[in-house]
Amino acid sequence: MQSVAYLRLKNLTFGYTIPKNVLFKSPTTKLRFYFSGENLLTFSPLTDYIDPEAASASVNLNNPSTSANRGGKAQTTPFSTTYSLGMSLKF
């Protein structure tokens, strides 16, 4: 038996809207900056090549390297981490 308990930070977004009094001489009525990240962290007792969300009772996690256990259920390539930085303007 192996625990498949995990903690994952899937999406995090920070944003800041510039106050209107700073934009008073600009043709812009709204200016917002943001940073977003997806699949940032995963804390799991499982090895790196086993997705805890996909792990199920039908996959033998104690012997993951055998070809019989590579049915695509839990052994996947790691999630890619995506970062976004942006600016939103309104005129």
Side-chain angles (χ1 to χ4, degrees), residues 4-5 9 11-12 20 26-28 34-35 38 46 52 57 62 69 71 77 80 83 86 88-90:
V4 293
L9 179 58
N11 190 332
L12 181 66
K20 287 185 179 185
S26 171
T28 304
Y34 65 90
F35 168 80
E38 294 184 25
L46 300 174
N62 294 319
N69 291 327
T77 55
S80 60
Y83 300 102
S88 174
L89 293 169
K90 185 176 180 182

Side-chain angles (χ1 to χ4, degrees), residues 2 5 11 22 25 41-42 69 86 89:
Q2 185 171 0
N11 190 332
V22 176
K25 288 190 177 183
L41 297 169
T42 300
N69 291 327
L89 293 169

Side-chain angles (χ1 to χ4, degrees), residues 24-72:
F24 67 94
K25 288 190 177 183
S26 171
T28 304
T29 59
K30 186 175 183 180
L31 176 61
R32 180 173 175 78
F33 295 97
Y34 65 90
F35 168 80
S36 178
E38 294 184 25
N39 298 320
L40 297 175
L41 297 169
T42 300
F43 299 101
S44 172
L46 300 174
T47 58
D48 290 337
Y49 56 88
I50 296 176
D51 178 15
E53 285 186 21
S56 67
S58 64
V59 177
N60 183 357
L61 298 174
N62 294 319
N63 193 9
S65 63
T66 62
S67 62
N69 291 327
R70 293 184 185 152

